[in-house]
């Protein structure tokens, strides 16, 4: 009973602080790994194909762009659950901007409707319409990132 009480209590406290970027959809604040809710971004070592059909390190690009966007500003995350890897799943903002929405709108991540229920669909449609980032050749049948074969 006390374990349940501790677990549910953990999700009532927002995590706020300086973030370290692990990859395009995972960050760390005060030692807590946080998976951004509702999106899927490439893994750090993942390759994608650009509009020129050449491979590029889309995973590193997503992580680097997220780090640059956040800069030294504090990140605020509202936890919702734990994922199968034990990471906190949360909606996070910096300066009032939803990080997941920003990543999807920049073409650095995809909406994952299975979890987001389409919350980031408009941002993804905009990114696709402007052929930004991974939306140039992404397959989003489940919201997952398409890996370049080669």
């Amino acid at each position: 009973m006390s374990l349940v009480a501790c677990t549910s209590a953990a999700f009532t406290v927002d995590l706020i602080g300086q973030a370290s970027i692990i990859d395009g959809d995972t960050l760390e604040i005060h030692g807590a790994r946080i998976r951004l809710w509702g999106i899927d971004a490439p893994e750090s070592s993942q390759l994608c194909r650009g509009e020129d059909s050449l491979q590029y390190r889309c995973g590193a690009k997503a992580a680097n762009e997220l780090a640059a966007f956040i800069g030294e500003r504090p990140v605020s995350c509202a936890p919702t659950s734990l994922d199968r890897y034990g990471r906190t799943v949360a909606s996070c903002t910096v300066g009032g901007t939803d990080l997941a929405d920003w990543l999807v709108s920049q073409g650095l991540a995809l909406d994952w409707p299975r979890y987001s229920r389409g919350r980031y669909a408009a941002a993804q449609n905009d990114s696709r319409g402007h052929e930004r980032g991974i939306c140039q050749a992404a397959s989003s049948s489940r919201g997952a990132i398409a890996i370049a074969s080669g």
Side-chain angles (χ1 to χ4, degrees), residues 30-116:
H30 304 301
R33 285 276 168 117
I34 302 164
R35 171 76 157 80
L36 295 176
W37 175 84
I39 65 167
D40 192 23
E43 299 302 318
S44 293
S45 61
Q46 190 166 340
L47 299 174
C48 296
R49 290 196 187 277
E51 64 184 40
D52 57 6
S53 295
L54 297 176
Q55 291 184 357
Y56 72 100
R57 297 185 60 211
C58 56
K61 179 176 175 62
N64 291 338
E65 298 261 344
L66 179 59
F69 178 72
I70 292 172
E72 299 295 318
R73 297 181 293 171
V75 175
S76 177
C77 296
T80 59
S81 63
L82 292 176
D83 70 7
R84 64 182 177 192
Y85 303 108
R87 296 176 297 189
T88 297
V89 177
S91 292
C92 299
T93 60
V94 65
T97 300
D98 179 336
L99 293 178
D101 188 68
W102 183 84
L103 283 160
V104 173
S105 71
Q106 299 301 308
L108 300 168
L110 297 175
D111 179 33
W112 200 337
R114 175 178 176 188
Y115 299 103
S116 73

